Amino acid sequence: MLQSPREWPGSELAERLGVSGRTVRTDIERLRELGYPVRATRGSAGGYRLAAGAAMPPLLLEDDEAVAVAVALRTVAQGVLSGVEDVSLRALAKLEQVLPSRLRRRVRALQQYTAPVPADRPSPTVDTETLMTLAAACRDRERLRLDYRDHAGTATRRLVEPQRVVSWGRRWYLVAWDVDRDDWRLFRVDRLTPRSPAGARFAPREDPEGDAARYVAGKASAAAWRHRARVSVHAPAAAVLERVNPAVGVVEPVDAGTCVLDTGADSLDSLAVHLGMLGYEFTVTGPPELVAHLEELAGRYARSTRPPSPPGPAPQKSPFPGR
């Protein structure tokens, strides 16, 4: 109860636990002797609550909470954050030592009989200290100067007002207001280096497009597209939005029964698959290479449903050899 983010009056603790007020006070003193920093405030709105301490006291975890923590530590140890692998494994070893035997067997079973599928391509690692610096700057609303390398390796110096740190898959992104460009920008965390000290404070802003995660999904995908298209879809925008992930494209309403899908993909084949899975009629006017590719696919699909032509009669052999 004390670990919940509220204060508990002694009388309410006594009533909830079915003990006397004296027993509550005695138990509070025992917790303090064990290292729990229990803070008490006086007054009608006061009570007891667990405060942060210099040393971490023993944790009281339910069975499912203990298993969840163990799984999370194992996942972090296999992740892309550099510098925390050994720390995560040490913390996991300490947790296992204090787990009851029934839970220890469950956790070890998860470790021994589960295996992650390696990524199809190596993922960039992210420095933990960099991630903490960015998160702190977002929290404190402090400007940051960054050294940043784009996908071509070109280095630039940026002055930004950090908004959010967003993880997507195995990559981390910083969403920030670029002061010099007077607009929102997206930065890959593995490509930036914060410079200290931190800059001046800035006034908070709303997340770009109202949702930083949605903004990252759209911008990061579009940056990787080799082929783009604006497609007229003959369906209401609300219906198309139910089938289009923000990472796939942006839907713009035209009228009650038509919308425009701004989309793209790494290949024409992938783009054709996305359009085919919409489940609605659509019209493509460009780019020319996409139109040609869809025409080729349409012909291939049409031929695939036609029965094969019966073989013609075998040629007759001439009774006169050599003729």
Side-chain angles (χ1 to χ4, degrees):
M1 293 170 66
L2 292 177
Q3 290 182 98
S4 62
R6 58 159 293 186
E7 291 189 344
W8 294 89
S11 58
E12 186 174 352
L13 284 174
E15 181 180 353
R16 292 282 297 269
L17 299 175
V19 298
S20 65
R22 180 178 179 180
T23 300
V24 168
R25 292 189 293 272
T26 301
D27 289 345
I28 291 295
E29 290 304 317
R30 287 181 178 176
L31 287 174
R32 288 169 173 164
E33 292 172 0
L34 289 170
Y36 288 95
V38 181
R39 186 181 66 187
T41 56
R42 298 182 182 277
S44 58
Y48 299 102
R49 69 177 302 174
L50 192 65
M56 179 177 287
L59 292 175
L60 300 177
L61 298 175
E62 301 292 339
D63 287 6
D64 55 349
E65 294 174 340
V67 173
V69 171
V71 173
L73 288 171
R74 173 64 66 177
T75 302
V76 170
Q78 297 169 342
V80 296
L81 294 178
S82 62
V84 299
E85 299 89 346
D86 292 341
V87 176
S88 300
L89 292 176
R90 290 201 304 270
L92 181 59
K94 293 178 181 178
L95 178 62
E96 289 182 351
Q97 289 178 359
V98 298
L99 287 177
S101 59
R102 67 181 187 282
L103 295 184
R104 191 181 303 118
R105 293 184 70 249
R106 293 174 61 185
V107 170
R108 288 180 177 174
L110 283 171
Q111 296 174 7
Q112 295 174 4
Y113 297 101
T114 60
V117 175
D120 56 356
R121 64 186 66 180
S123 299
T125 58
V126 175
D127 181 69
T128 308
E129 287 300 321
T130 297
L131 205 61
M132 299 298 291
T133 298
L134 297 178
C138 293
R139 177 198 63 200
D140 298 335
R141 303 294 180 187
E142 292 179 337
R143 287 183 172 183
L144 279 178
R145 291 193 180 275
L146 308 173
D147 290 330
Y148 189 68
R149 293 176 295 100
D150 62 18
H151 67 281
T154 304
T156 56
R157 179 74 53 83
R158 305 292 187 92
L159 176 62
V160 302
E161 296 177 352
Q163 181 79 4
R164 301 278 183 195
V165 181
V166 178
S167 64
W168 186 18
R170 297 174 66 84
R171 288 182 178 174
W172 292 81
Y173 297 89
L174 171 66
V175 178
W177 181 266
D178 193 310
V179 176
D180 297 327
R181 291 159 178 80
D182 196 30
D183 198 3
W184 290 107
R185 287 294 186 268
L186 189 63
F187 302 94
R188 281 254 305 261
V189 174
D190 58 292
R191 293 176 179 168
L192 64 81
T193 303
R195 301 181 67 85
S196 57
R201 297 290 182 91
F202 61 89
R205 287 186 173 85
E206 294 293 330
D207 284 350
E209 301 180 5
D211 188 329
R214 180 182 292 272
Y215 176 79
V216 169
K219 292 295 183 180
S221 295
W225 291 342
R226 293 180 56 196
H227 304 277
R228 298 194 63 152
R230 285 179 61 84
V231 181
S232 295
V233 184
H234 307 299
V240 177
L241 278 170
E242 294 179 355
R243 303 193 178 192
V244 174
N245 186 285
V248 174
V250 177
V251 178
E252 304 171 4
V254 176
D255 52 40
T258 310
C259 62
V260 172
L261 173 62
D262 187 349
T263 185
D266 288 343
S267 67
L268 293 175
D269 283 327
S270 297
L271 191 49
V273 168
H274 293 162
L275 294 176
M277 293 178 64
L278 284 176
Y280 297 109
E281 297 289 328
F282 59 89
T283 302
V284 178
T285 58
E289 59 269 21
L290 176 60
V291 174
H293 188 66
L294 291 176
E295 290 175 345
E296 179 185 349
L297 288 177
R300 187 184 306 164
Y301 290 151
R303 291 189 297 272
S304 70
T305 60
R306 298 170 187 164
S309 301
Q316 298 294 323
K317 290 185 179 180
S318 173
F320 305 100
R323 293 188 181 181

